[in-house]
Amino acid sequence: MTQTNDFRVDIPELLARQPLFQQMSMEHVNLMATQAREKRLGRGEMLFQKGDMPRGFYVVIFGQLKLAFPSSAGNEKVVDIIGPKQSFGEAVMFMDKPYPVFAEAISDTLVLHVPRDVIFELIRTEPTFAHLMLAGLSLRLHSLLQDVETYSLRSSAQRVVGYLLQQCPGDVGALGEGEIQVTLPTTKQIIASRLNLTPETLSRIFHDLAEAKLISVQGKQITINNARQLREYDI
Amino acid sequence: MTQTNDFRVDIPELLARQPLFQQMSMEHVNLMATQAREKRLGRGEMLFQKGDMPRGFYVVIFGQLKLAFPSSAGNEKVVDIIGPKQSFGEAVMFMDKPYPVFAEAISDTLVLHVPRDVIFELIRTEPTFAHLMLAGLSLRLHSLLQDVETYSLRSSAQRVVGYLLQQCPGDVGALGEGEIQVTLPTTKQIIASRLNLTPETLSRIFHDLAEAKLISVQGKQITINNARQLREYDI
DNA sequence: GGTTTGGCCTGATATGGGTCAAGGCGCTTG
DNA sequence: CAAGCGCCTTGACCCATATCAGGCCAAACC
């Protein structure tokens, strides 16, 4: 299934839709767009290694990447799974430090690279932009903290349940009693690593949840039978 | 042991020494200082609860606080231990979200509260400041990521070893063969929680390390006999 | 002085989740 | 079509760490 059809993107529009840049003037967005460069990656290809020096940040146009820590024993720890229209790598730009994780395409992927000089310039000239950038980073920090809480205070099943509920389209608060369809964004292996689990454990948890009639699993298609009940699931 | 002697601090100097503000003009530091307010806390007193709305950030003048997630079963998860001259709570200022953790004094403590309006104003008027702020937040994010790596990829003993090495004065790189004295900043209970361990496990690990002649423990005083060997410690 | 309290250690036991090994299912490829 | 390869599942077993329970010591308090 090679993505042969010539894929055209409206880069300024894509950038303008980033949470970070929504309140930015179109003039500045265009400035960024002219400086950005596309990069195509085959599945399994590395965008950068842990230890490389960053020169900007990235936005995914189509495809998917994982950010992960490598580990001597082959077992890596996936920190995040990045999909279309999501950006990543903003924070490292501001430190003189190498990437703490590596980024690998987990499907054929097109990313946009925005060099950091453009960003630095914007910060210098547009205070609103700096403020937005700060808000964006804070949000990242917040969700990482959330992860720490999850890893340390919740059991494996609770982590899986939490993940499924997060994937629901209508966001968190909506805990209707009706069925909800969720499509897993990638393989169960990668999701398992993201949740600090082995694939075996994830498989068994899905099995248990299905046996308890809370969900049903058909490949990457998960049907949540009752979100409210699922949320209350314990052990 | 009540801190009765009248404690005077040079607030502008304290602020100027924050990593975030070092490159700031003294004029602006003074502006912040005039707006800041001291707050005294007894040991065990809460500075803020998880869920409170933030109005600024804090700098510890003397004493110590812990930042932690509460948990239904009484067992909390300590995210960070904050000592004198360290600041915290910068990130939440930029989001319209409540504190994701609570802050509790773990000894008699004096903190400085800097209202966020001052910061916002500085960002608007001084681009260099915004840049420093971004660098500061990025650093936080980086060290949180480090934590995630540690929790997911390292065994309990490795976490303890890593912690001890971090506490060494001469920073990380220096792995001399000589003895190094480390003083634990707080009780072993709190450190255990910070490392995602039970106090029992931490105690046993100290015991094992001491038996292997790598360290010796006298209360909060830990002597590292050979940093290089300790670093290589496995299992 | 006795008693309480908090911090810490130690031993016995339990268990969540990892590890190892085997096999199935569904792609892709020749 | 068969072969091969990823991805996933399943079962048996094991181990690192938690849990539970008891006890020690020093400081604080009556």
Side-chain angles (χ1 to χ4, degrees):
Chain A
M1 202 243 285
T2 37
Q3 201 90 22
T4 41
N5 48 351
D6 194 13
F7 198 95
R8 281 295 83 203
V9 204
D10 184 349
I11 291 180
E13 198 203 309
L14 176 82
L15 286 173
R17 292 220 176 145
Q18 287 301 310
L20 277 178
F21 309 143
Q22 270 173 29
Q23 292 176 46
M24 221 167 136
S25 78
M26 213 51 206
E27 178 195 350
H28 288 108
V29 171
N30 283 324
L31 173 67
M32 280 178 52
T34 57
Q35 303 278 340
R37 258 198 25 235
E38 294 183 13
K39 183 156 188 179
R40 217 168 249 279
L41 295 165
R43 165 208 156 110
E45 212 172 326
M46 288 285 186
L47 180 58
F48 51 77
Q49 297 280 354
K50 170 169 177 173
D52 289 355
M53 284 311 272
R55 308 198 184 292
F57 75 97
Y58 295 92
V59 186
V60 175
I61 297 176
F62 65 76
Q64 280 177 321
L65 297 133
K66 67 178 177 195
L67 305 183
F69 287 105
S71 141
S72 42
N75 53 357
E76 59 194 33
K77 159 60 186 164
V78 173
V79 176
D80 213 347
I81 301 162
I82 317 276
K85 304 197 177 167
Q86 291 185 270
S87 62
F88 62 101
E90 296 97 339
V92 263
M93 289 192 303
F94 298 103
M95 306 182 298
D96 268 338
K97 290 195 180 185
Y99 284 113
V101 296
F102 67 85
E104 179 187 331
I106 52 183
S107 62
D108 288 347
T109 299
L110 184 63
V111 296
L112 199 64
H113 180 261
V114 183
R116 66 178 187 182
D117 305 323
V118 189
I119 303 297
F120 286 6
E121 182 59 26
L122 280 170
I123 290 168
R124 216 172 308 134
T125 57
E126 190 146 336
T128 327
F129 177 75
H131 199 111
L132 286 174
M133 202 83 204
L134 281 162
L137 281 200
S138 301
L139 223 57
R140 286 286 157 86
L141 219 149
H142 185 85
S143 74
L144 241 191
L145 249 190
Q146 202 85 322
D147 282 351
V148 169
E149 179 183 28
T150 300
Y151 297 145
S152 13
L153 253 31
R154 310 249 270 250
S155 71
S156 50
Q158 289 171 318
R159 295 204 293 274
V160 174
V161 166
Y163 182 79
L164 286 177
L165 292 172
Q166 266 190 7
Q167 297 307 105
C168 291
D171 221 340
V172 196
L175 30 61
E177 309 267 340
E179 288 191 357
I180 309 177
Q181 283 287 332
V182 176
T183 307
L184 301 180
T186 180
T187 66
K188 292 177 186 173
Q189 285 183 66
I190 291 175
I191 291 170
S193 171
R194 169 74 242 262
L195 296 173
N196 260 7
L197 297 172
T198 58
E200 292 96 326
T201 302
L202 179 61
S203 176
R204 286 188 245 268
I205 289 171
F206 276 147
H207 183 93
D208 292 352
L209 289 174
E211 205 154 59
K213 304 278 187 206
L214 291 168
I215 65 172
S216 43
V217 185
Q218 311 94 39
K220 294 194 197 313
Q221 280 297 324
I222 312 271
T223 311
I224 297 176
N225 295 325
N226 186 330
R228 173 176 228 93
Q229 257 180 48
L230 184 60
R231 171 155 306 161
E232 249 111 68
Y233 183 78
D234 237 314
I235 289 184
Chain B
M1 206 243 285
T2 37
Q3 202 90 24
T4 41
N5 47 350
D6 194 11
F7 197 95
R8 279 296 83 204
V9 204
D10 184 350
I11 291 180
E13 197 203 310
L14 177 82
L15 286 172
R17 291 218 176 146
Q18 288 301 309
L20 275 178
F21 308 143
Q22 269 173 28
Q23 293 176 45
M24 223 168 135
S25 77
M26 213 51 206
E27 177 195 351
H28 289 108
V29 171
N30 283 324
L31 173 67
M32 281 178 52
T34 57
Q35 302 278 339
R37 259 199 23 237
E38 294 182 14
K39 183 157 190 178
R40 217 168 249 279
L41 296 165
R43 167 206 154 112
E45 212 172 325
M46 288 286 186
L47 179 59
F48 52 77
Q49 297 279 354
K50 170 170 176 173
D52 289 355
M53 283 312 271
R55 306 196 185 293
F57 75 97
Y58 295 92
V59 185
V60 175
I61 296 176
F62 65 76
Q64 282 177 320
L65 296 133
K66 68 179 176 193
L67 305 183
F69 287 105
S71 143
S72 43
N75 53 355
E76 60 193 32
K77 159 59 188 165
V78 173
V79 177
D80 215 345
I81 302 162
I82 316 276
K85 306 200 176 164
Q86 291 184 270
S87 62
F88 62 101
E90 295 98 337
V92 264
M93 289 192 303
F94 298 103
M95 307 182 298
D96 268 338
K97 291 195 178 184
Y99 284 113
V101 296
F102 66 84
E104 179 187 332
I106 53 183
S107 61
D108 288 348
T109 299
L110 184 63
V111 295
L112 199 65
H113 181 261
V114 181
R116 65 178 188 183
D117 305 323
V118 189
I119 303 296
F120 287 5
E121 181 59 26
L122 279 172
I123 291 168
R124 215 172 310 132
T125 58
E126 189 145 339
T128 326
F129 178 75
H131 200 110
L132 286 173
M133 202 82 204
L134 281 162
L137 282 199
S138 302
L139 223 58
R140 286 286 158 86
L141 220 148
H142 185 85
S143 74
L144 242 191
L145 249 189
Q146 202 86 321
D147 282 352
V148 169
E149 179 183 29
T150 300
Y151 296 145
S152 11
L153 253 31
R154 310 248 270 248
S155 72
S156 51
Q158 288 172 318
R159 295 205 292 276
V160 174
V161 166
Y163 182 79
L164 286 178
L165 292 172
Q166 265 189 8
Q167 296 308 106
C168 292
D171 220 340
V172 197
L175 28 61
E177 308 267 342
E179 286 192 356
I180 308 176
Q181 282 287 333
V182 176
T183 307
L184 300 180
T186 180
T187 66
K188 292 178 187 174
Q189 282 185 68
I190 291 176
I191 291 170
S193 171
R194 168 73 241 263
L195 296 174
N196 261 7
L197 298 172
T198 58
E200 291 94 329
T201 301
L202 179 62
S203 173
R204 287 187 243 268
I205 289 171
F206 275 145
H207 182 92
D208 293 352
L209 289 174
E211 204 153 59
K213 305 279 187 204
L214 291 168
I215 64 172
S216 45
V217 184
Q218 311 95 39
K220 294 193 198 312
Q221 280 297 323
I222 312 273
T223 310
I224 297 177
N225 295 325
N226 186 330
R228 175 176 226 92
Q229 258 180 48
L230 184 61
R231 169 155 309 160
E232 251 110 66
Y233 184 78
D234 237 315
I235 288 183

